[in-house]
Amino acid sequence: MPDICVAICTCDRPAGLESLLDGLARQQGGLRFQVVVVDNGTLSAQGVALERAAAGALSLTYVRLQERGLVAARNRSLALARESGAPWIACLDDDEVPSETWLSALLARARETGADLVYGPVLPDFEVSPPRWAVAGGFFVKTGEIACSSNLLLRTAVLGEDPRDWYQPAFGAIGGEDREFLARLERGGARAATAADALVREHVPAARLRLGYMFQRGLRDGYAEVTLLRQASKAPARLGLSALGVAAKKSGFLLYHLVSSLASSAHFASALADLGTICGIAMCLSGHRRRFYGASGDPAGDDGAAAAACAPLSDRARP
């Protein structure tokens, strides 16, 4: 029985998956781990996955999933990982590469704290030299203080028996599914901790280093906010008031960042994201449907979880 099963979802990123698997093959610490790869892209990544398995570098299971969408892939990967019998499940996105001590650092922190969920930091690996605003604003850095599935160790025992209670289909086209799922686990009693030395690097393509991407990211967050509120309350009046409250708060941030943008371009980027969130809230409330994941026309090619769509843990009691 493995100590950990690493669950990976991939969608039309064969080069990214290859780098990720190479990073897993270099893991140190003597842990016994298996890898499951769930692929629901338009192009099969089976060749990349099986090449690593045939070389003996990894104990790997590859599954081709016809159902599109990130939620379907995530739930299938968790189900396969649970079937492995491993007491722990580690999650990565297919545009990330783990450090050589990634798994051992996550597991050591879990054992040290008794946590059920352990998050690690994700640092950017820019495809091109980034503009000043992208670095100054820290928009592509995840410190491990947010609940994300992009660098996660999960105790298998905290999963419910029914996969329909895991990642929710309502978030399949917009993102934020990890924010809702992990917050729900914590409300159910799961304890969380951060492993500062469990480092992962994320590939950031040039398309994300444009100011227009910040607006699109904010737009997606607006849709995610309304969907989260809709999951919590079915009453239309209460949903509308809560969403307006979020929009009002974002409006305050927008004004602050606009004034501050006179001194820093990073504040202007933040203002665009705030404006996008306000627009996303309004569009979602009005019934305008939009797909951010799984669409071939996605200009950012962003099939992974973004920091802006993750839940802050500032109010969490940490071990």
Side-chain angles (χ1 to χ4, degrees), residues 115-232:
D116 305 295
L117 305 168
V118 181
Y119 306 104
V122 180
L123 299 182
D125 184 9
F126 295 109
E127 183 179 43
V128 298
S129 180
R132 183 177 300 177
W133 63 263
V135 177
F139 300 112
F140 302 97
V141 174
K142 305 170 191 175
T143 64
E145 295 294 321
I146 52 178
C148 283
S149 55
S150 55
N151 185 355
L152 166 69
L153 183 68
L154 166 74
R155 191 188 300 272
T156 307
V158 303
L159 286 175
E161 289 299 319
D162 190 346
R164 290 175 297 182
D165 293 331
W166 301 347
Y167 294 104
Q168 296 299 296
F171 298 90
I174 60 174
E177 76 290 336
D178 50 352
R179 172 180 176 179
E180 190 276 337
F181 173 57
L182 295 170
R184 184 156 35 90
L185 287 180
E186 290 189 51
R187 290 196 300 271
R191 301 179 65 207
T194 296
D197 51 351
L199 181 63
V200 163
R201 288 198 170 272
E202 178 184 23
H203 175 70
V204 180
R208 296 188 203 173
L209 300 176
R210 301 169 183 166
L211 288 171
Y213 170 75
M214 296 303 297
F215 177 81
Q216 291 294 324
R217 192 164 96 165
L219 197 67
R220 179 186 60 194
D221 291 345
Y223 273 79
E225 287 287 351
V226 175
T227 306
L228 284 164
L229 293 171
R230 187 171 284 136
Q231 294 286 104

Side-chain angles (χ1 to χ4, degrees), residues 11-269:
C11 181
D12 296 335
R13 284 176 175 162
L17 178 63
E18 184 176 3
S19 297
L20 189 162
L21 294 178
D22 287 343
L24 289 176
R26 294 191 294 267
Q27 289 299 293
Q28 300 175 358
L31 292 175
R32 297 167 298 173
F33 68 93
Q34 294 181 0
V35 180
V36 296
V37 176
V38 175
D39 178 8
N40 66 349
T42 56
L43 303 174
S44 173
Q46 184 175 13
V48 172
L50 296 188
E51 180 181 341
R52 293 302 180 275
L58 295 168
S59 174
L60 187 149
T61 299
Y62 173 89
V63 172
R64 180 82 170 142
L65 185 66
Q66 295 303 317
E67 185 178 356
R68 299 304 303 276
L70 188 57
V71 166
R74 288 207 192 282
N75 282 336
R76 182 66 172 137
S77 70
L78 287 184
L80 289 170
R82 187 172 65 171
E83 290 173 9
S84 74
W88 294 96
I89 300 172
C91 298
L92 278 176
D93 288 337
D94 64 355
D95 57 354
E96 297 177 324
V97 177
S99 63
E100 294 180 351
T101 57
W102 173 63
L103 278 177
S104 58
L106 284 174
L107 188 57
R109 183 61 172 160
R111 289 171 172 170
E112 174 191 355
T113 61
D116 305 295
L117 305 168
V118 181
Y119 306 104
V122 180
L123 299 182
D125 184 9
F126 295 109
E127 183 179 43
V128 298
S129 180
R132 183 177 300 177
W133 63 263
V135 177
F139 300 112
F140 302 97
V141 174
K142 305 170 191 175
T143 64
E145 295 294 321
I146 52 178
C148 283
S149 55
S150 55
N151 185 355
L152 166 69
L153 183 68
L154 166 74
R155 191 188 300 272
T156 307
V158 303
L159 286 175
E161 289 299 319
D162 190 346
R164 290 175 297 182
D165 293 331
W166 301 347
Y167 294 104
Q168 296 299 296
F171 298 90
I174 60 174
E177 76 290 336
D178 50 352
R179 172 180 176 179
E180 190 276 337
F181 173 57
L182 295 170
R184 184 156 35 90
L185 287 180
E186 290 189 51
R187 290 196 300 271
R191 301 179 65 207
T194 296
D197 51 351
L199 181 63
V200 163
R201 288 198 170 272
E202 178 184 23
H203 175 70
V204 180
R208 296 188 203 173
L209 300 176
R210 301 169 183 166
L211 288 171
Y213 170 75
M214 296 303 297
F215 177 81
Q216 291 294 324
R217 192 164 96 165
L219 197 67
R220 179 186 60 194
D221 291 345
Y223 273 79
E225 287 287 351
V226 175
T227 306
L228 284 164
L229 293 171
R230 187 171 284 136
Q231 294 286 104
S233 174
K234 303 301 181 182
R238 183 174 179 181
L239 168 65
L241 287 174
S242 298
L244 287 175
V246 175
K249 184 177 180 180
K250 282 293 181 179
S251 297
F253 289 144
L254 170 61
L255 291 175
Y256 165 74
H257 287 303
L258 281 176
V259 172
S260 302
S261 66
L262 297 174
S264 169
S265 57
H267 281 288
F268 183 69

